[in-house]
Amino acid sequence: MGLIVPVALLVIWHLVAKRGAFSPSQLPPPGDVLEALGELLRRGDLWTHLQTSVSRVFAGYLAGAAVALVLGSLIGLSATVRRLFAPTVAALRTVPSLAWVPLLLLWFGIGETPKVTLVAIGAFFPIYTTTASALSHVDAQLLEVGRAYGRRGAALVTTVMLPAAAPALVNGLRLGLANAWLFLVAAELIASSKGLGFMLIDSQNTGRTDIMLLAIGLLAGLGKLTDSLFGIFEARLVRKRS
């Protein structure tokens, strides 16, 4: 059933484009976008852009998730650390993605580092928030049972708290991956010559609306694919716990 809406949107898009509600430069029909896809495949450009964007998301996501899990765990487990760091992190969370671009350019230049760092920032906040919240709200009765069985310190965390918080942690990792894709386009505004974000901006500058729509479709498709893979992992985790 999930295919009904996309197919309906394609039909509406085709009808609107063919009836001249918009000029071809504003809204090319789906067939033109498919032709643009074939053109990029023949030239070999598409795989270069896809590989570049996926590698940036993968590297940035892993870095952001690692930092978020560590800091989120510390804040979730320690009231002192929470009072010390949580207000500052909450303030930084409200900074728009594009606001980081000039600072990252100043610090790291125009190479891969600022792009990956911006993706990492995007992945960090959902994972951090979910981790801190999940660990700080573990059922008190579970903690009492764990202590009754002699669990203290690290043993209590690994055998009681982490298993109890696991579904929320996985959901946070899933949200962080989605946010990493959202930050990718902003990251590829930083003096890029490759990537789906670059395709999007370059097609705007060259008036290739067909390639622009193709880039949007590819970003949506890749984001959905990775989210679905995480969803399968999350469902298996839930089944194991039930």
Side-chain angles (χ1 to χ4, degrees), residues 70-89 128:
V70 172
L71 184 58
S73 298
L74 291 173
I75 288 177
L77 295 172
S78 170
T80 301
V81 177
R82 182 160 56 249
R83 288 194 295 269
L84 185 63
F85 287 102
T88 301
V89 178
Y128 154 79

Side-chain angles (χ1 to χ4, degrees), residues 44-60:
D45 293 345
L46 184 62
W47 300 119
T48 300
H49 293 309
L50 285 173
Q51 182 181 6
T52 300
S53 290
V54 169
S55 64
R56 286 168 178 163
V57 168
F58 185 72

Side-chain angles (χ1 to χ4, degrees), residues 55-192:
S55 64
R56 286 168 178 163
V57 168
F58 185 72
Y61 174 74
L62 289 181
V67 176
L69 288 171
V70 172
L71 184 58
S73 298
L74 291 173
I75 288 177
L77 295 172
S78 170
T80 301
V81 177
R82 182 160 56 249
R83 288 194 295 269
L84 185 63
F85 287 102
T88 301
V89 178
L92 291 174
R93 184 183 178 185
T94 64
V95 177
S97 58
L98 289 176
W100 294 102
V101 171
L103 187 61
L104 294 175
L105 281 172
L106 181 65
W107 285 352
F108 302 117
I110 61 174
E112 286 297 301
T113 302
K115 302 175 183 64
V116 173
T117 302
L118 188 58
V119 174
I121 291 171
F124 169 85
F125 288 106
I127 300 172
Y128 154 79
T129 302
T130 308
T131 302
S133 176
L135 290 176
S136 63
H137 292 90
V138 173
D139 191 338
Q141 292 182 346
L142 286 175
L143 298 179
E144 290 179 9
V145 171
R147 293 189 182 101
Y149 280 91
R151 301 292 193 272
R152 296 288 187 278
L156 182 66
V157 172
T158 56
T159 61
V160 178
M161 298 186 74
L162 283 178
L169 296 180
V170 173
N171 188 54
L173 290 168
R174 186 176 179 181
L175 292 173
L177 182 58
N179 222 41
W181 281 106
L182 293 177
F183 272 60
L184 174 69
V185 174
E188 291 183 338
L189 291 174
I190 306 176
S192 291

Side-chain angles (χ1 to χ4, degrees), residues 10-24 26-33 35:
L10 280 173
V11 172
I12 294 170
W13 173 11
H14 176 76
L15 293 175
V16 170
K18 287 300 183 182
R19 291 183 179 181
F22 296 92
S23 67
Q26 293 176 310
L27 185 67
D32 289 2
V33 177
E35 289 179 7

